Amino acid sequence: MSHDGHSIVIGLTGQTGAGKSTVSKIFVREGFQIIDADRISRDVVELGTPCLSELLDYFGEEIRNEDGTLNRKALAKIVFNDKGRLDALNSICHPFITEEILARISRMKAQGHELILLDAPTLFESKAADFCDLIISVVASPDLRRERIIERDALTPLEAKERMSAQLDEEFFITHSDYVIRNDEDLQQLYALSEEIADKIKAYYHTTHIS
């Protein structure tokens, strides 16, 4: 565990449709500073970024919109059923995303923020788990998750199933996390569990950082 004596970085991840974004909001309310990895992964491919030019070099003009921006739909279609191209996409994007995440972490540490929450759906796949002191995963039953993502992203049941099967399994999240939040009950239960873990982390932080 890498402590610089001032801050602790908590990775928040989980299965799609498990309720991670709700948990993330609860932690922000509890005083954690958030780094949104999804947002960063969109920022690094904005028009004019080195990441976008590398993607265009590799995947070609078909992933470029008329205005020069990235056509996400076209890119998603190319990599969806092609492991090799998906790996290529990740190996191009991850270094840029990682660099930006690390820059934000050190900026927050420099500003004196003690509790930093890295909200990252692909925390493990992108190796961002490596620079977290603690990891929280949010999991839920497959039926509930399927319902939630069909409703949230307007998917067909088949698309929902494909998206779910493209992820790491529940066992992986459980064995690689310090805390697991199971979101099979109602929202009240989710709030209670999240607040309890937030309190535990604050207590842990204060006991390990007594100067």
Side-chain angles (χ1 to χ4, degrees):
M1 254 185 216
S2 56
H3 287 312
D4 57 0
H6 301 299
S7 315
I8 179 173
V9 179
I10 301 101
L12 174 67
T13 190
Q15 300 167 300
T16 182
K20 181 180 63 63
S21 50
T22 308
V23 173
S24 175
K25 289 186 187 110
I26 298 166
F27 271 80
V28 170
R29 221 182 50 182
E30 291 286 315
F32 289 68
Q33 282 294 316
I34 188 166
I35 297 174
D36 182 343
D38 246 1
R39 184 81 170 271
I40 290 174
S41 65
R42 289 194 295 273
D43 291 347
V44 298
V45 293
E46 287 293 318
L47 194 57
T49 57
C51 186
L52 179 59
S53 22
E54 283 193 28
L55 288 174
L56 289 167
D57 285 347
Y58 185 88
F59 290 99
E61 288 300 310
E62 61 192 291
I63 64 160
R64 188 205 292 264
N65 287 317
E66 279 181 15
D67 61 0
T69 56
L70 176 65
N71 182 334
R72 292 171 186 286
K73 274 218 167 96
L75 180 60
K77 214 166 163 181
I78 293 171
V79 302
F80 190 70
N81 285 313
D82 187 332
K83 178 93 172 66
R85 301 195 116 197
L86 179 61
D87 289 344
L89 170 65
N90 289 334
S91 65
I92 291 169
C93 295
H94 284 160
F96 291 103
I97 296 169
T98 301
E99 190 185 353
E100 181 56 30
I101 288 172
L102 287 172
R104 291 196 193 184
I105 289 173
S106 47
R107 209 154 55 230
M108 285 179 175
K109 286 182 173 182
Q111 290 163 349
H113 295 299
E114 297 176 344
L115 303 158
I116 300 166
L117 186 76
L118 172 58
D119 178 341
T122 58
L123 187 78
F124 297 113
E125 298 90 330
S126 65
K127 306 280 188 288
D130 295 354
F131 31 86
C132 296
D133 299 298
L134 292 170
I135 290 170
I136 304 167
S137 285
V138 188
V139 299
S141 78
D143 292 346
L144 275 174
R145 294 193 292 118
R146 190 177 303 112
E147 274 171 39
R148 288 177 192 146
I149 66 174
I150 286 173
E151 195 178 323
R152 182 189 71 196
D153 301 331
L155 303 176
T156 66
L158 180 66
E159 287 169 332
K161 186 170 178 258
E162 286 177 336
R163 187 174 299 183
M164 285 164 66
S165 64
Q167 279 204 310
L168 297 163
D169 60 17
E170 183 175 294
E171 187 57 30
F172 185 93
F173 285 106
I174 292 171
T175 52
H176 290 77
S177 304
D178 298 283
Y179 297 102
V180 175
I181 295 176
R182 181 168 288 286
N183 182 20
D184 286 338
E185 306 287 326
D186 53 16
L187 210 51
Q188 209 175 342
Q189 171 78 352
L190 183 64
Y191 269 81
L193 282 171
S194 304
E195 284 165 1
E196 186 187 329
I197 289 174
D199 288 342
K200 277 184 183 163
I201 290 172
K202 287 178 193 173
Y204 166 85
Y205 175 84
H206 291 301
T207 52
T208 54
H209 291 73
I210 294 168
S211 45

